[in-house]
Amino acid sequence: MMDADLARIRADFPALHLPVKGRAPVYLDSACTTLRPEPVISAMADYMRRNSGCHGRAAHAFGREATRVVAEAREATRAFLGAAHADEVIFVRGCTEAINLVAECLPLGKGDTVLTTGIEHNSNLLPWQGLVRRRGVRHVVLPLDPARGFDMEAFRARLRDGVRLVSVVHVSNLCGIELPVAEICREAHRAGAWVLVDGAQSVATHAIDVGAMGADFFAFSFHKAFGPEGIGALYGRRDLLARMPAWQVGGDTVEDVTYDTCTWAAVPQRFEAGVANTTGAVGAAAAIAWLRGIGPDRILAHATALNERATAALSHFPRVHVIGPIDSVLRGSILNFWVDGLDSRSLAGLLDERAGVMVRYGKHCVHAWYHAAGIPDSVRASFSIYNTPADVDALTDTLGNVLSMIG
Ligand code: PMP
């Protein structure tokens, strides 16, 4: 990207221009959450200043405005995901809640098998473990070596075991690899299974088209795509959602209630209990507009170029081990590594202390994979559209200094 373009994009992010301990922040944790651009911040602030109405069923002007912004955000999300119908978009708190909703509401029980991969986020593992305990569902884990990627042959073989639901990550938060989700959907459907795609890490860097992908469900959070926390969306195929019962229940999930009975509202209201996160919806719509203005392809290309630069620098340090493919292009925006003889918490602390470099440490909510691989923890840097080559150098130079210090 041209320097002027990058400077213009960076100018949109106030957080990059507020010194931390007297230094410009070097934010390399966008896989955890992205920074918010000014148009998202001001759209939300503006909405809160003008309006505090409840969405739905209010005849007054504030209520109508609230209803309008939620409907607009739903339509923007529909278009963003390439869904056919706006009522296939359910607003939730985030990706985690979306997956829990599917786990609770899909008719899965004894005799049904749910298949996940060995690199799923805890949010796409624990809900299925819960079904094993509570409903006698069988859970099968397809091992996945991050360096080799998804094994389609092994997947096909496992599908023959009566799998009812396949739930897989689109882009891994562990190592940045992309799974061939369209082919996974095709194979799963051929075997009579539904597919849930965890899109937490793909929405900011990949143009999503749930129709072309063939996913039955697609889950994500807006805070990883330049929007606010506390709002995400579940896309669900219309006919499937129509068959699913309500989960969290209360205001707005019903058409009518007596002391003993109720009739459920239609989808999506049936799944959106309580007052809508209207301000979040405003932020979500603004984030989609901002993201589409830049283009996910451009974000991925920029992040990948930075990852290449960082990976090349790290290759000079023999104590550093990168998780995933050697080829940084296959890791997109993620550089996850561990260092022989140095725990990730200490390293992340030193990077922050010495150069204001913000990275994540630990097991990155993929605990099960770390246990299986026998790796205690790692440091993950993740890049986005607002990062610069200087950010990369701050990471790799500081890491070099730390390594020479420990000998
Ligand atoms: N899946 C993946 C792959 C993720 O990276 C994350 C967030 N780290 C989640 C699910 C959960 O997202 P959230 O915490 O926003 O619900």
Side-chain angles (χ1 to χ4, degrees):
M1 201 192 319
M2 304 285 287
D3 286 354
D5 291 340
L6 184 51
R8 231 185 334 268
I9 287 168
R10 284 176 65 81
D12 257 356
F13 290 86
L16 293 173
H17 308 286
L18 297 171
V20 180
K21 291 193 211 147
R23 276 186 304 231
V26 179
Y27 186 72
L28 298 180
D29 199 11
S30 296
C32 184
T33 194
T34 52
L35 303 177
R36 283 90 187 155
E38 186 56 41
V40 170
I41 300 164
S42 48
M44 293 174 73
D46 188 47
Y47 177 79
M48 283 193 283
R49 230 175 262 124
R50 281 188 295 113
N51 193 325
S52 292
C54 280
H55 119 289
R57 293 176 212 193
H60 56 72
F62 282 8
R64 280 201 305 276
E65 174 69 354
T67 303
R68 185 183 68 76
V69 298
V70 172
E72 274 183 15
R74 202 182 304 281
E75 170 54 26
T77 308
R78 180 206 66 74
F80 179 60
L81 297 176
H85 310 284
D87 60 10
E88 295 180 315
V89 173
I90 296 163
F91 286 127
V92 286
R93 277 195 302 127
C95 187
T96 299
E97 188 171 72
I99 299 172
N100 274 276
L101 192 161
V102 175
E104 290 305 318
C105 301
L106 255 193
L108 293 168
K110 211 168 174 56
D112 291 325
T113 299
V114 174
L115 183 145
T116 62
T117 78
I119 59 164
E120 297 306 324
H121 189 279
N122 293 341
S123 294
N124 192 24
L125 173 60
L126 295 171
W128 315 119
Q129 285 186 358
L131 291 195
V132 171
R133 281 194 300 272
R134 286 182 281 114
R135 292 199 211 154
V137 164
R138 200 168 143 250
H139 175 218
V140 170
V141 177
L142 181 73
L144 199 161
D145 177 348
R148 289 163 183 241
F150 188 82
D151 183 342
M152 192 56 77
E153 275 314 305
F155 175 58
R156 278 198 202 101
R158 286 295 173 97
L159 275 177
R160 284 183 219 119
D161 299 348
V163 173
R164 196 81 190 93
L165 175 75
V166 172
S167 191
V168 292
V169 73
H170 187 185
V171 170
S172 165
N173 64 310
L174 172 73
C175 55
I177 60 166
E178 181 182 353
L179 267 61
V181 282
E183 202 179 341
I184 289 172
C185 289
R186 258 196 318 277
E187 292 293 333
H189 289 159
R190 204 170 288 152
W194 298 305
V195 182
L196 186 160
V197 174
D198 169 356
Q201 291 295 336
S202 59
V203 279
T205 46
H206 292 61
I208 306 298
D209 183 338
V210 288
M213 188 187 289
D216 301 290
F217 300 98
F218 186 93
F220 74 98
S221 305
F222 280 101
H223 73 90
K224 292 188 196 284
F226 311 103
E229 299 103 337
I231 186 160
L234 171 69
Y235 157 80
R237 242 178 51 203
R238 205 181 210 183
D239 58 314
L240 280 175
L241 291 176
R243 288 166 51 192
M244 287 160 52
W247 169 38
Q248 295 173 345
V249 292
D252 256 5
T253 57
V254 284
E255 279 306 330
D256 202 7
V257 186
T258 68
Y259 286 122
D260 309 308
T261 62
C262 72
T263 44
W264 299 119
V267 178
Q269 276 69 37
R270 189 191 306 165
F271 298 112
E272 295 181 355
V275 150
N277 179 359
T278 317
T279 309
V282 169
I288 289 174
W290 191 88
L291 207 169
R292 291 185 119 184
I294 301 284
D297 299 354
R298 207 164 143 218
I299 298 172
L300 181 62
H302 180 69
T304 305
L306 296 175
N307 200 351
E308 254 182 282
R309 183 184 182 99
T311 302
L314 257 53
S315 68
H316 299 297
F317 307 136
R319 292 167 76 153
V320 171
H321 306 274
V322 173
I323 296 172
I326 296 165
D327 182 356
S328 56
V329 172
L330 298 174
R331 283 183 279 105
S333 60
I334 289 186
L335 175 59
N336 193 357
F337 59 94
W338 85 93
V339 177
D340 284 333
L342 187 58
D343 72 282
S344 70
R345 184 178 183 163
S346 307
L347 176 55
L350 285 166
L351 291 170
D352 183 45
E353 213 173 274
R354 293 181 160 217
V357 172
M358 303 186 206
V359 292
R360 190 143 180 233
Y361 71 87
K363 291 187 170 63
H364 310 279
C365 294
V366 198
H367 293 64
W369 179 83
Y370 281 84
H371 290 306
I375 297 170
D377 51 27
S378 62
V379 162
R380 184 186 70 190
S382 49
F383 309 101
S384 189
I385 190 72
Y386 37 67
N387 290 121
T388 64
D391 290 346
V392 172
D393 298 346
L395 167 73
T396 55
D397 292 351
T398 315
L399 176 62
N401 292 341
V402 169
L403 290 176
S404 54
M405 183 184 81
I406 61 172

